Amino acid sequence: MNSIIYNIKEGLKGIFRNPTMSLVSIGSVSAALFVLSIIFSVVININNFTSLVEGQFDNVQIYLNEDMTSQHIFDLEKKLGQVSGVQSVEFESKQDALNKMKKRWGEDGYLLEGIDNPLDNSFIIEVSNIENTEKIANKVKKFDGIKEVKYYDDVVEKVIQLSNIVKMSGLFIITILAFVSLFIISNTIKLALHGRRREINIMKYVGATDWFIRWPFIIEGMVLGLIGALISLAITYFGYDYFYSKLDLPSYSIFSGYILPVTGVMDSLINISIVMGIGVGIIGSIISLRRYLNV
């Protein structure tokens, strides 16, 4: 317990021993994590948008031949439900399809009254993963009794491409920012170590273990990273909340359904920022200490 208390005290002393560099380090880490927060907010909102779009275009419409019997339709429905990747199968009669068209036409729906129904009976398949849409569509085309299979192939392809680009870009930027934060923390610890190199050498010669020497600096790095993360989170919270409040204006209301509220972003961002802030503090301290422990 005495050793733990000693390490904590020495770690906090290290921060106040070099206040200027500590402030520079905190500010730099805050800036790096703030940029990370912006990137993360963009990524998570684009992922939310693609998920909403996927929910609108994850259906495959299967039109049936006119001469199909009720038993054949029943058997086909059962067969479609057994296809891998199919989440649900819904039958839509030609009359139901016509009624939907009347609703879409609104006041002009009366124009469809009294005409011979030109539409076909169909099945609407909901897929479990939008990436499997084309594969499922090609498979069910080969079933007997199917006249045509339609799905939003162009939209599906673009949504998948957008989702993959966002994920890869976000991962790349987050990795770069993590290394930037690590570089900043490690250099701050190196400056502190340079001023205490004689003290470290003496401690080594009198029998202090490497970890006994490491812990104060690791705690210093953890605290610097944590403070930087908390400042970044505070700026992100109030900035994002201000931005989101502007979406209530009529000119921006079209975007409000696709943008997550501040709580939807912060729930994940808090954990990521704190873990990254403390993590780079620990790793940066360990890396910086390697040179000075080899005496």
Side-chain angles (χ1 to χ4, degrees), residues 9-71:
K9 285 182 178 179
E10 288 299 310
L12 295 177
K13 283 181 182 178
I15 296 174
F16 295 104
R17 192 177 286 119
N18 299 288
T20 303
M21 288 307 305
S22 294
L23 289 174
V24 171
S25 179
I26 290 171
S28 301
V29 173
S30 298
L33 291 178
F34 177 64
V35 175
L36 168 65
S37 300
I38 294 175
I39 299 300
F40 179 82
S41 300
V42 172
V43 169
I44 198 172
N45 275 290
I46 293 179
N47 281 338
N48 179 64
F49 170 75
T50 55
S51 296
L52 293 174
V53 172
E54 286 177 5
Q56 298 175 8
F57 298 100
D58 62 350
N59 293 333
V60 178
Q61 188 105 15
I62 301 173
Y63 297 97
L64 309 178
N65 293 329
E66 294 183 5
D67 58 353
M68 289 186 69
T69 63
S70 299
Q71 184 61 44

Side-chain angles (χ1 to χ4, degrees), residues 89-100:
V89 180
E90 178 186 356
F91 176 73
E92 182 178 82
S93 68
K94 57 191 303 183
Q95 185 58 47
D96 291 337
L98 183 62
N99 292 336
K100 285 184 179 181

Side-chain angles (χ1 to χ4, degrees), residues 195-258:
R196 298 176 62 186
R197 60 190 184 280
R198 290 185 179 179
E199 177 186 342
I200 293 172
N201 290 342
I202 293 171
M203 292 174 70
K204 285 282 291 182
Y205 284 126
V206 298
T209 64
D210 287 350
W211 278 107
F212 183 82
I213 299 172
R214 280 191 185 106
W215 274 114
F217 295 100
I218 290 175
I219 291 171
E220 180 181 346
M222 289 172 61
V223 173
L224 291 174
L226 178 60
I227 294 174
L230 293 176
I231 293 174
S232 169
L233 286 169
I235 297 173
T236 303
Y237 178 88
F238 291 109
Y240 189 97
D241 190 51
Y242 174 80
F243 168 77
Y244 187 79
S245 66
K246 295 300 181 181
L247 296 179
D248 291 334
L249 299 175
S251 55
Y252 301 107
S253 60
I254 189 173
F255 301 107
S256 60
Y258 299 100

